Amino acid sequence: MLQNRPSGFQRAPIGAEIREIAPTAVLVRVYPARRSVTHVFGSDFYRMLINRRTEEELARMVRRGFGGAADWRHAHDFYLPTETLYLTPEPHQNGYVPEDDQSFGLSLSRRIAIGGGER
């Protein structure tokens, strides 16, 4: 059976939306709203310098895209290449400081959801 789905109702994947604003971003780390901070990392594991307004927009995109799938009282990492949301590593774990660890610390045990809504 054919379904009528106007193209105006289809949203682009979160990663594509983020790349429009930050083309070289690989990982977006969204901290709880009370901290009001978002970090963006490139493929070299170093933080990208972006303005506050852009940080807020990227955090809003990630939170909107994953909604209730995550407990936003904790920091989360959105990995763009796989469109996957992870719980941010703890300070003592590999990947908490990507530029030092040369790793984003992505682990299946911390995976929250995949862009399509899978958990």
Side-chain angles (χ1 to χ4, degrees):
M1 174 184 230
L2 294 175
Q3 293 182 358
N4 186 8
R5 291 187 182 169
S7 61
F9 292 151
Q10 295 176 0
R11 274 194 20 225
I14 301 167
E17 291 178 8
I18 290 172
R19 282 190 190 94
E20 287 180 15
I21 297 172
T24 59
V26 173
L27 183 112
V28 177
R29 180 166 289 169
V30 179
Y31 288 94
R34 71 187 184 308
R35 283 190 62 188
S36 189
V37 175
T38 301
H39 293 163
V40 180
F41 296 90
S43 61
D44 60 357
F45 302 106
Y46 284 90
R47 263 184 64 198
M48 299 169 55
L49 300 176
I50 57 174
N51 65 47
R52 184 71 194 120
R53 184 178 285 158
T54 303
E55 283 184 9
E56 291 169 350
E57 179 65 14
L58 294 176
R60 186 189 63 73
M61 288 175 170
V62 173
R63 285 188 182 114
R64 181 192 70 213
F66 289 97
D71 180 354
W72 296 108
R73 296 175 296 175
H74 303 283
H76 290 80
D77 292 346
F78 176 65
Y79 187 58
L80 279 78
T82 60
E83 297 262 331
T84 305
L85 186 71
Y86 295 88
L87 189 61
T88 298
E90 294 296 321
H92 65 277
Q93 292 176 318
N94 188 41
Y96 184 75
V97 183
E99 56 267 28
D100 290 347
D101 301 335
Q102 295 296 293
S103 166
F104 292 126
L106 306 177
S107 168
L108 286 177
S109 65
R110 287 194 302 276
R111 185 174 74 189
I112 303 295
I114 298 172
E118 298 175 38
R119 293 182 193 192

